[in-house]
């Protein structure tokens, strides 16, 4: 896939560098001549959008860190002062806060795109796992960043999330105190969270480089799920992907700017405009929207798990909730092996397609449930929705591979594209384009 | 009708009150859609509809009892601007009615230049109130009181939270610098989705306005604890510790504006919105320029993309 | 090449140029706020409000240091010996010569008659050496008034540079006397 390099330095200067540090060659091979399937749709632009979001978060983060004071009695006011007194301070601070939300919007679209088109299947398991690691690091970074403004939601969010670790048997309590640097969330916690919040994005950047590297080894998937077979199937990265990604980024930025400039508080929570108060918990504490589905999973386990026919508690409700929540993320690591189907793209998997959209709807619903108070009808709904989340991965995904009868796939990307050009139904089955048995589609 | 007014009207029509209207229309909508789309959509649709039903049932049981009343603010919408006269009146209401208990600690006195005051006027304002700050230590190592200056923060009525609590029977009057952002009752499903398109971000001032004008005699069946005051707009219960702070003709205006509770409440709510984000109009103006530019840029990129991909089937 | 094709080529070139130009504008629009946020913020600027000090306790030969905008300023009352030494100094001894009168301050506010009697014996200068910003040490060796401990620049008692790497005299801050005993630094007065 990656093929051998076609870069030839044109100038003496270029040759000088190429013999010593072939960085132009690397860029040329990775982002200029790198072949991409010609049939990628707009959902494939979110990788590029995420790259821009990461860079934008790092840059705005470095800049607002210059005006922020990581000290419990000053942190809250320092954010307000930055917004009022620093030139463009309000824009930069809001950009960073709203940017975190849009980073997650983009990453969720990216993940669901991967689930739809089977982007995790061989030979892209490592690519997928690196992606899940990035997602985990993003969650850690976003959580610690949300603590820094030191409002009520920051404080009580930190209180709740760090308490997860106290659920671990034997070492939990000690671990909790080590995490906080005290007996409760306080100045020490704020300081270390600031330090780690600054560090983690650079770790994300490192893994992103590996993620892109693996992508460039295996090549991209595409909506047909058929691997690239010939030069007919591909176009060079530049200008075709570059211009498309650039267009998508700007459109994404327009939506984001609408929120940054006109609805800066829409995605946040009003209680975070009240300074942290260790004596008073807000009436409804909820995490940021991007954690809501996992928060719902956490709350779904409100019962002890006993050893059958005894009174011995095997896993108490607290540990059970935490395990379920981490399990909901951890299960993503196993998706490449949970899906037993040979067919990659959901376009050719009539049943999986239905269950995929059900899963999407269920995830959104789970998020909504996470924002509701834990009372009344919400409790059984949360349990049902959580059950479906795991059921989808553990039962439906493996089972579909055995039961589902896939639709015929095109023999190649070019067939699918040129078939469409002819006016015949390209995606369905152009004549003679039925997949060969050994072809993964 | 202004854009904000239209937005408010739309929100009203779209079921701001959480009652039945939006449900009916959304059910009809679903019915029409299911005719043309797959069974899957029916499923999603029914989930959404039941969600709406449940959502409205739950929302009706919580606080506040009444949803905030919506005001047509000058600072709403994409071209929102402060009404300086209103902010000046709001400052007067704050100074005469609120500042005895509520601090405004994030603001600096210099910020009042935003309201159209000159530095001398602000100095007079500080002197009239006799505001002093603790400074020092001086050469003898002692802290001393000096008159507040432009670069100082607003000096509150109490030295610290404990004193504030002790003076108010344990209920600390909240700082007002960010009140208009910190008090924003949840809008609930599906209103919060419409809010994106109507650009509704005034739940804070709407809430403050509604609370100030919302004091009432409690209904017969409601028992109110001693020292609490019934208000169906209060976000955290049926009654709050603060007694009704504003009444008709309590404060004199010199610009001919009506000296009514309604006007006072509007003015001080607008003032508190300003206090919570003095740069609001700048932000919106900046946003307008940015989005217009990005739209042009996106258009150019779109046509460039079309040109680049022309003749390349994909 | 036909005309039609050429026209299309021009249109395409224009499109690419316009898109590229918009990209440049976008990069500029991103860079500008990132640069501007570095400027002293509104709090810093406001904290630079003038400071008022009581100088009644400063006898001839004494010096106090006043902070304004986080920077130190010397307020030094000269002795008659120092004033004489300055009077008798050669113009050639200074690198950045100005007359001593322009650098001496007279206490007393505008319209205050008692001020007329007060002699011009105050030096009010920035306390950061014009070389690289260290605070010079006060010395009393005739004409010399300050020596910079970092790189040895020497200033006379009104802050004029005499020797060393400092290129210019110690700058004068804006100041005025609100009364005989009250000095305001940071605000230009008509007598300053």
């Amino acid at each position: 896939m990656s093929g051998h390099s076609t870069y030839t330095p044109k100038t003496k200067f270029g040759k000088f560098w190429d013999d010593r540090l072939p960085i132009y060659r690397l860029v040329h091979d990775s982002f200029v001549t790198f072949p991409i399937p010609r049939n990628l749709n707009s959902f494939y632009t979110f990788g590029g959008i995420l790259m821009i979001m990461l860079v934008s978060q790092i840059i705005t983060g470095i800049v607002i860190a210059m005006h922020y004071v990581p000290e419990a009695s000053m942190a809250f006011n320092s954010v307000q002062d930055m917004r009022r007194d620093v030139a463009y301070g309000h824009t930069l601070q809001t950009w960073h806060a709203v940017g975190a939300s849009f980073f997650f919007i983009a990453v969720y679209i990216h993940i669901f795109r991967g689930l739809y088109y089977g982007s995790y299947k061989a030979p892209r398991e490592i690519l997928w796992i690196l992606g899940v690691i990035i997602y985990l690091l993003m969650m850690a970074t976003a959580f610690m960043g949300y603590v820094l403004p030191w409002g009520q939601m920051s404080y009580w969010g930190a209180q709740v999330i760090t308490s997860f670790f106290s659920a671990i048997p034997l070492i939990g309590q000690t671990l909790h105190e080590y995490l906080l640097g005290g007996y409760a969330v306080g100045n020490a916690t704020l300081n270390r969270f600031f330090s780690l919040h600054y560090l983690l994005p650079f770790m994300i950047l490192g893994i992103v480089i590996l993620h892109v590297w693996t992508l460039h080894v295996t090549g991209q998937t595409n909506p047909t799920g058929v691997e690239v077979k010939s030069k007919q199937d591909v176009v060079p990265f530049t200008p075709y992907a570059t211009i498309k990604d650039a267009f998508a980024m700007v459109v994404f930025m327009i939506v984001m700017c609408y929120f940054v400039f006109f609805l800066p508080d829409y995605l946040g929570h009003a209680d975070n405009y009240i300074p942290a108060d260790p004596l008073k918990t807000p009436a409804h504490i909820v995490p940021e929207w991007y954690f809501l589905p996992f928060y719902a999973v956490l709350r779904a386990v409100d019962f002890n798990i006993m050893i059958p026919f005894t009174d011995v508690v095997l896993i108490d409700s607290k540990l059970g909730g935490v395990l379920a929540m981490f399990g909901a993320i951890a299960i993503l690591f196993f998706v490449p092996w949970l899906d037993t189907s040979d067919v990659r793209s959901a376009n050719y998997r009539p049943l999986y397609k239905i269950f995929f959209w059900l899963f999407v709807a269920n995830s959104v619903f789970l998020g909504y449930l996470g924002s509701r108070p834990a009372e009344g009808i919400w409790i059984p709904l949360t349990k049902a929705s959580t059950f479906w989340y795991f059921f989808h991965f553990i039962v439906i995904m493996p089972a579909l591979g055995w039961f589902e009868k896939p639709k015929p796939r095109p023999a190649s990307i070019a067939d699918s594209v040129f078939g469409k050009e002819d006016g015949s139904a390209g995606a369905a089955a152009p004549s003679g384009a039925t997949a060969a048995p050994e072809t993964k589609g | 009708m202004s854009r904000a007014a239209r937005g408010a009207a739309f929100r009203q029509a779209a079921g701001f009150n959480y009652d039945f209207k939006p449900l009916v229309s959304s059910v009809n909508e679903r019915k029409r859609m299911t005719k043309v789309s797959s069974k899957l959509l029916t499923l999603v649709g029914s989930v959404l509809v039941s969600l709406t039903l449940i959502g409205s049932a739950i929302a009706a049981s919580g606080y506040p009892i009444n949803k905030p009343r919506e005001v047509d603010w000058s600072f709403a919408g994409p071209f929102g601007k402060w009404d300086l006269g209103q902010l000046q009146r709001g400052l007067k209401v704050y100074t005469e009615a609120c500042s005895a208990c509520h601090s405004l600690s994030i603001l600096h006195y210099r910020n009042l230049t935003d309201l159209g005051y000159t530095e001398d006027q602000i100095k007079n304002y500080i002197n009239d109130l006799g505001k002093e700050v603790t400074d020092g230590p001086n050469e003898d190592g002692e802290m001393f009181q000096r008159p507040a200056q432009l670069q100082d923060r607003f000096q509150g009525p109490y030295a610290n939270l404990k004193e504030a609590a002790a003076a108010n029977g344990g209920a600390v009057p909240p700082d007002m610098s960010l009140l208009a952002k910190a008090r924003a009752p949840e809008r609930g499903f599906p209103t919060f989705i419409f809010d994106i398109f109507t650009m509704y971000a005034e739940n804070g001032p709407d809430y403050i306005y509604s609370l100030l004008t919302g004091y009432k005699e409690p209904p017969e069946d409601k028992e109110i604890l001693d020292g609490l005051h019934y208000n169906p707009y209060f976000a955290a219960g049926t009654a709050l510790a603060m007694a009704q702070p504003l009444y008709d003709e309590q404060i004199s205006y010199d610009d001919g504006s009506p000296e009514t509770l309604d006007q006072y409440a509007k003015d001080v709510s607008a003032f508190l919105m300003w206090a919570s984000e003095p740069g609001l109009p700048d932000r919106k103006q900046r946003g307008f320029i940015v989005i217009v530019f990005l739209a042009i840029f996106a258009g150019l990129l779109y046509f460039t993309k079309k040109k680049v991909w022309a003749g390349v089937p994909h | 090449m036909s005309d039609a094709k050429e026209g299309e080529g021009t249109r395409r070139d224009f499109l690419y140029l316009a898109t590229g130009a918009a990209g440049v504008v976008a990069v500029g629009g991103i860079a500008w706020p990132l640069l501007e946020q570095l400027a002293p913020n509104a709090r810093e600027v406001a904290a630079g409000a003038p400071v008022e000090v009581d100088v009644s306790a400063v006898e001839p030969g004494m010096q106090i240091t006043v902070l304004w905008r986080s920077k130190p300023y010397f307020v030094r009352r000269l002795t008659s010996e120092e004033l004489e030494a300055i009077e008798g100094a050669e113009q050639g001894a200074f690198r950045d010569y100005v007359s001593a009168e322009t650098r001496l301050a007279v206490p007393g506010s505008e319209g205050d008659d008692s001020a007329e009697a007060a002699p011009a014996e105050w030096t009010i200068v920035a306390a950061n050496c014009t070389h690289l910003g260290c605070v010079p040490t006060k010395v009393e060796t005739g004409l010399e008034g300050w020596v910079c401990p970092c790189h040895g620049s020497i200033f006379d008692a009104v802050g004029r540079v005499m020797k060393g790497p400092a290129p210019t005299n110690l700058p004068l801050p804006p100041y005025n006397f609100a009364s005989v005993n009250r000095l305001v630094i940071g605000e230009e007065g008509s007598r300053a």
Side-chain angles (χ1 to χ4, degrees):
Chain A
M1 186 71 228
S2 44
H4 65 87
S5 181
T6 57
Y7 175 73
T8 40
K10 288 188 190 72
T11 59
K12 266 194 171 163
F13 183 74
K15 181 142 181 15
F16 176 88
W17 274 96
D18 199 49
D19 292 342
R20 290 159 180 82
L21 179 68
I23 193 136
Y24 291 109
R25 179 181 296 276
L26 183 70
V27 171
H28 184 83
D29 294 346
S30 312
F31 302 107
V32 180
T33 54
F34 181 72
I36 54 148
R38 64 197 311 154
N39 60 338
L40 297 185
N41 58 30
S42 17
F43 288 105
Y44 284 83
T45 59
F46 279 86
I49 288 172
L50 283 164
M51 200 69 160
I52 289 291
M53 286 310 300
L54 177 61
V55 171
S56 125
Q57 287 300 89
I58 289 179
I59 291 175
T60 51
I62 288 172
V63 160
I64 63 177
M66 295 178 188
H67 305 282
Y68 171 76
V69 185
E71 202 273 331
S73 65
M74 293 164 84
F76 184 86
N77 275 14
S78 77
V79 174
Q80 282 305 318
D81 286 345
M82 174 196 326
R83 293 169 65 139
R84 289 152 194 258
D85 291 340
V86 174
Y88 297 96
H90 192 284
T91 306
L92 292 164
Q93 196 270 336
T94 318
W95 189 279
H96 195 71
V98 174
S101 274
F102 274 80
F103 203 160
F104 275 95
I105 289 174
V107 94
Y108 282 130
I109 295 174
H110 193 62
I111 292 172
F112 280 122
R113 192 270 290 146
L115 286 173
Y116 186 87
Y117 291 119
S119 306
Y120 44 81
K121 291 186 189 182
R124 297 184 181 82
E125 299 95 328
I126 302 292
L127 178 62
W128 173 263
I129 287 171
L130 286 169
V132 179
I133 293 173
I134 293 169
Y135 176 51
L136 264 176
L137 287 174
M138 271 177 69
M139 292 172 104
T141 312
F143 157 65
M144 289 195 245
Y146 192 62
V147 174
L148 302 183
W150 212 236
Q152 274 288 66
M153 278 294 167
S154 302
Y155 185 89
W156 291 100
Q159 179 75 31
V160 169
I161 307 275
T162 53
S163 294
F164 291 167
F165 297 91
S166 68
I168 300 169
L170 302 176
I171 58 160
Q173 203 54 43
T174 315
L175 188 67
H176 187 211
E177 282 165 16
Y178 271 55
L179 202 64
L180 297 180
Y183 302 105
V185 179
N187 193 47
T189 322
L190 178 61
N191 251 300
R192 61 190 56 187
F193 277 18
F194 178 61
S195 168
L196 293 173
H197 182 70
Y198 211 122
L199 166 72
L200 284 181
F202 296 98
M203 293 175 67
I204 293 177
L205 190 64
I207 310 234
V208 164
I209 290 170
L210 297 182
H211 190 67
V212 174
W213 186 7
T214 49
L215 175 75
H216 283 215
V217 170
T218 62
Q220 279 176 295
T221 57
N222 65 84
T224 65
V226 182
E227 289 287 1
V228 168
K229 289 175 182 151
S230 70
K231 285 200 163 165
Q232 285 278 298
D233 293 345
V234 294
V235 287
F237 192 94
T238 300
Y240 296 99
T242 10
I243 189 70
K244 202 164 156 181
D245 284 0
F247 172 63
M249 281 168 200
V250 173
V251 171
F252 190 78
M253 283 296 144
I254 291 176
V255 181
M256 184 172 146
C257 284
Y258 181 78
F259 278 84
V260 168
F261 291 106
F262 295 115
L263 294 168
D265 298 317
Y266 184 86
L267 295 159
H269 201 287
D271 278 333
N272 227 26
Y273 280 109
I274 304 170
D277 180 356
L279 300 176
K280 205 173 150 203
T281 312
H284 293 298
I285 79 157
V286 283
E288 289 286 81
W289 69 266
Y290 37 82
F291 294 139
L292 287 173
F294 300 105
Y295 191 60
V297 170
L298 171 81
R299 296 195 309 188
V301 183
D302 57 359
F303 45 85
N304 290 340
I305 296 165
M306 321 286 277
I307 295 173
F309 313 113
T310 67
D311 285 342
V312 183
V313 177
L314 189 64
I315 297 171
D316 67 9
S317 54
K318 182 172 171 179
L319 180 60
V322 172
L323 286 178
M325 196 195 74
F326 281 110
I329 305 165
I331 202 159
L332 293 172
F333 283 110
F334 302 99
V335 164
W337 297 277
L338 286 170
D339 188 343
T340 52
S341 173
D342 279 346
V343 184
R344 215 175 252 130
S345 168
N347 281 350
Y348 307 102
R349 299 184 60 188
L351 285 175
Y352 177 75
K353 199 183 207 166
I354 293 171
F355 282 106
F356 170 83
W357 287 112
L358 261 180
F359 177 74
V360 173
N362 183 57
S363 301
V364 173
F365 185 51
L366 202 53
Y368 182 71
L369 291 170
S371 76
R372 298 295 91 198
E375 59 190 31
I377 183 81
W378 305 121
I379 295 172
L381 281 176
T382 305
K383 287 181 183 174
S385 188
T386 301
F387 172 78
W388 187 261
Y389 180 93
F390 286 103
F391 190 74
H392 176 85
F393 285 116
I394 297 173
V395 179
I396 293 174
M397 264 199 166
L400 280 183
W402 298 314
F403 295 119
E404 191 177 46
K405 195 170 174 300
K407 286 192 210 161
R409 283 141 280 155
S412 73
I413 296 170
D415 270 14
S416 132
V417 169
F418 293 109
K420 198 163 63 188
E421 288 289 298
D422 294 342
S424 62
S431 53
T434 324
E438 72 277 9
T439 314
K440 288 203 172 188
Chain B
M1 205 195 272
S2 76
R3 206 217 137 269
R6 263 186 286 122
F10 168 64
R11 286 193 294 274
Q12 215 85 46
F16 158 70
N17 284 323
Y18 280 80
D19 291 336
F20 226 49
K21 273 182 193 155
L23 280 184
V24 175
S25 68
S26 103
V27 170
N28 288 342
E29 191 71 32
R30 296 291 162 214
K31 273 186 187 154
R32 219 158 17 85
M33 282 183 73
T34 44
K35 279 181 190 160
V36 287
S37 54
S38 72
K39 282 180 185 171
L40 186 72
L41 261 178
T42 326
L43 196 70
V44 173
S46 55
V47 165
L48 281 175
V49 169
S50 53
L51 204 66
T52 318
L53 275 165
I54 298 161
S56 41
I58 289 285
S61 74
Y63 296 112
I65 298 169
N66 294 349
K67 289 277 158 189
R69 295 199 281 149
E70 291 187 31
V71 178
D72 185 10
W73 301 106
S74 69
F75 47 82
F79 305 107
K81 290 268 184 302
W82 300 125
D83 173 349
L84 286 191
Q86 182 172 50
L87 297 189
Q88 295 192 352
R89 293 194 301 273
L91 174 66
K92 194 158 199 277
V93 177
Y94 165 76
T95 310
E96 292 184 19
C98 318
S99 67
C101 303
H102 292 275
S103 54
L104 203 55
S105 63
I106 288 176
L107 262 76
H108 295 86
Y109 287 112
R110 63 180 156 84
N111 295 136
L112 293 178
T113 49
D114 291 6
L115 267 49
Y117 292 115
T118 64
E119 294 200 350
D120 286 334
Q121 282 174 311
I122 301 169
K123 280 178 190 158
N124 288 340
Y125 172 82
I126 300 170
N127 291 340
D128 289 349
L129 296 173
K131 290 292 184 189
E132 291 199 324
V133 294
T134 309
D135 202 345
N138 61 14
E139 263 108 82
D140 303 324
E142 277 159 15
M143 304 304 279
F144 57 91
Q145 293 293 110
R146 62 161 172 82
Q149 292 174 349
L150 288 174
Q151 74 270 23
D152 291 318
R153 292 190 196 263
F154 271 62
Q155 297 299 303
Y158 305 110
N160 51 53
L161 288 180
K162 291 254 159 84
E163 190 188 311
N168 291 281
V172 180
D175 181 80
M176 278 187 163
S177 336
L178 288 164
L179 204 66
K181 281 182 183 274
R183 298 287 186 279
E186 236 184 276
R187 302 269 288 168
F189 182 84
T191 320
F192 74 77
I193 294 171
F194 304 141
D195 286 348
I196 295 175
F197 303 99
T198 57
M199 221 182 257
Y200 179 77
E202 289 77 40
N203 22 5
D206 280 344
Y207 172 75
I208 295 170
Y209 164 77
S210 304
L211 186 82
L212 289 172
T213 54
Y215 283 89
K216 269 187 199 156
E217 282 301 309
E220 303 264 313
D221 58 327
K222 284 246 161 52
E223 238 180 81
I224 304 299
L225 289 172
D226 256 8
L228 294 186
H229 308 273
Y230 177 73
N231 192 325
Y233 293 96
F234 184 48
T238 48
L240 68 163
M242 178 174 76
Q244 179 169 346
L246 292 170
Y247 292 92
D248 284 350
E249 291 173 25
Q250 180 183 349
I251 294 153
S252 63
Y253 280 159
D254 46 18
D255 65 350
S257 299
E259 294 172 0
T260 58
L261 166 61
D262 189 76
Q263 190 62 40
Y264 297 149
K266 271 183 192 154
D267 292 347
V268 80
S269 304
F271 171 75
L272 291 177
M273 189 64 182
W274 169 80
S276 71
E277 194 186 346
L280 184 146
D282 302 342
R283 151 165 75 77
K284 292 186 171 182
Q285 210 174 5
R286 191 174 291 163
F288 188 77
I289 295 166
V290 167
I291 288 179
V292 166
F293 167 75
L294 285 179
I296 295 168
F297 191 21
L300 285 169
L301 281 168
Y302 175 75
F303 288 113
T304 306
K305 174 183 160 275
K306 260 184 87 161
K307 269 275 190 290
V308 167
W309 280 85
V312 183
H314 55 279
Chain C
M1 198 187 275
S2 76
D3 283 353
K5 261 197 173 163
E6 211 162 74
E8 191 175 281
T10 320
R11 259 208 314 280
R12 195 184 53 215
D13 288 347
F14 175 74
L15 184 64
Y16 290 175
L17 274 176
T19 310
V24 171
V25 173
V27 170
I30 293 163
W32 182 250
L34 295 177
L35 189 70
E36 277 302 285
Q37 57 86 24
L38 293 168
N41 67 34
R43 226 164 341 124
E44 289 295 329
V45 173
V51 286
E52 196 173 311
V53 281
D54 183 355
V55 292
S56 57
V58 182
E59 298 292 329
M62 284 171 67
Q63 163 187 310
I64 58 169
T65 309
V66 179
L67 272 184
W68 173 58
R69 285 192 168 164
S70 326
K71 282 165 75 175
Y73 290 86
F74 291 138
V75 178
R76 176 172 181 168
R77 192 164 177 188
L78 304 186
T79 60
S80 49
E81 293 83 58
E82 281 168 337
L83 284 167
E84 265 168 43
I86 288 164
E87 197 88 351
E90 297 273 328
Q91 189 171 330
F94 302 102
R95 173 170 305 154
D96 182 19
Y97 177 77
V98 288
S99 76
E101 286 82 64
T102 59
R103 298 181 59 88
L104 283 166
V106 186
S109 66
E110 190 79 0
D112 180 357
D113 289 339
S114 66
E116 295 304 322
E121 56 183 14
W122 293 83
T123 296
I124 300 159
V125 289
N128 295 108
C129 177
T130 53
H131 179 220
L132 294 170
C134 298
V135 175
T137 317
K138 182 172 180 254
V139 289
E140 284 141 22
T141 52
L143 185 56
E144 291 174 14
W146 284 285
V147 173
C148 182
C150 292
H151 310 101
S153 294
I154 297 171
F155 301 90
D156 77 347
V158 291
R160 294 178 293 183
V161 61
M162 298 171 70
K163 287 190 196 111
T168 55
N169 300 333
L170 295 175
L172 306 179
Y175 66 85
N176 69 65
F177 279 91
S179 71
V180 179
N181 289 330
R182 316 251 355 140
L183 168 67
V184 179
I185 292 185
E187 204 169 67
E188 200 75 55
S190 48
R191 309 179 69 117

